[in-house]
């Protein structure tokens, strides 16, 4: 329904361009965070069911294209893009961002504080090698979908 609404909001011939994350192991920054979670909690955070709501709802490119096509768009194209991303000013900044995501909060809920702090320390250590003078830079991999009304 959301893509149908987007199509209706465009004038005839109007263009849609949208970016959506690929899976959590395709982007360096999410892969690092998920690996730390598995090491400390024995499982990844709840990233949502494949195709369900959440940051990786369109990780399956075929599904992404299909949903947009079914909404009535034409000339749908999908391209994988991987780009360096400035994640934060330093490792501490990135850890703060990751720790505040709903997925991390769900993972930390009900866990002993010592276990949570150990995981946060491990995240800090895992992100530190990516620090540069301009900040923490890691790759992000997404789908770039374009289509026309």
């Amino acid at each position: 329904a959301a893509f149908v609404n987007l199509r209706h909001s465009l004038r005839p011939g109007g263009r849609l361009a949208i970016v959506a994350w690929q899976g959590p192991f395709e982007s360096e920054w999410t892969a690092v965070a998920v690996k730390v979670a598995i090491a400390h909690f024995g499982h990844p955070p709840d990233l949502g069911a494949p195709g369900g709501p959440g940051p990786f709802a369109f990780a399956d490119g075929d599904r992404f294209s299909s949903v947009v096509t079914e909404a009535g768009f034409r000339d749908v194209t999908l391209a994988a893009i991987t780009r360096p991303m400035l994640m934060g000013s330093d490792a501490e900044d990135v850890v703060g961002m990751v720790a505040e995501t709903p997925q991390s909060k769900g993972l930390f809920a009900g866990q002993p504080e010592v276990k949570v702090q150990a995981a946060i320390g491990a995240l800090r250590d895992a992100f530190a090698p990516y620090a540069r003078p301009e900040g923490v830079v890691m790759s992000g991999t997404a789908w770039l979908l374009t289509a026309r009304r």
Side-chain angles (χ1 to χ4, degrees):
F3 285 100
V4 170
N5 287 337
L6 285 171
R7 187 175 60 80
H8 287 302
S9 72
L10 293 173
R11 62 184 159 89
R15 183 171 177 231
L16 172 73
I18 189 166
V19 175
W21 290 118
Q22 287 190 14
F25 288 101
E26 278 72 42
S27 289
E28 195 170 49
W29 76 274
T30 51
V32 166
V34 169
K35 287 176 186 174
V36 168
I38 292 169
H40 285 268
F41 300 101
H43 57 85
D46 181 5
L47 300 173
F56 303 104
F58 293 113
D60 178 341
D62 291 335
R63 178 179 174 273
F64 192 18
S65 292
S66 174
V67 167
V68 173
T69 300
E70 289 170 13
F73 282 93
R74 59 185 175 81
D75 302 330
V76 176
T77 64
L78 187 70
I81 54 171
T82 300
R83 299 287 189 276
M85 297 173 43
L86 179 61
M87 300 303 302
S89 59
D90 55 25
E92 191 68 35
D93 192 27
V94 179
V95 169
M97 181 271 297
V98 170
E100 288 300 312
T101 65
Q103 295 78 18
S104 292
K105 287 183 175 188
L107 184 65
F108 298 161
Q111 296 290 334
E113 186 62 23
V114 66
K115 194 171 191 175
V116 171
Q117 289 307 313
I120 288 174
L123 280 171
R124 190 176 300 109
D125 293 344
F127 289 129
Y130 299 94
R132 298 179 180 174
E134 66 271 22
V136 176
V137 177
M138 303 178 83
S139 72
T141 301
W143 296 114
L144 171 59
L145 182 140
T146 60
R148 292 205 179 274
R149 174 169 183 212

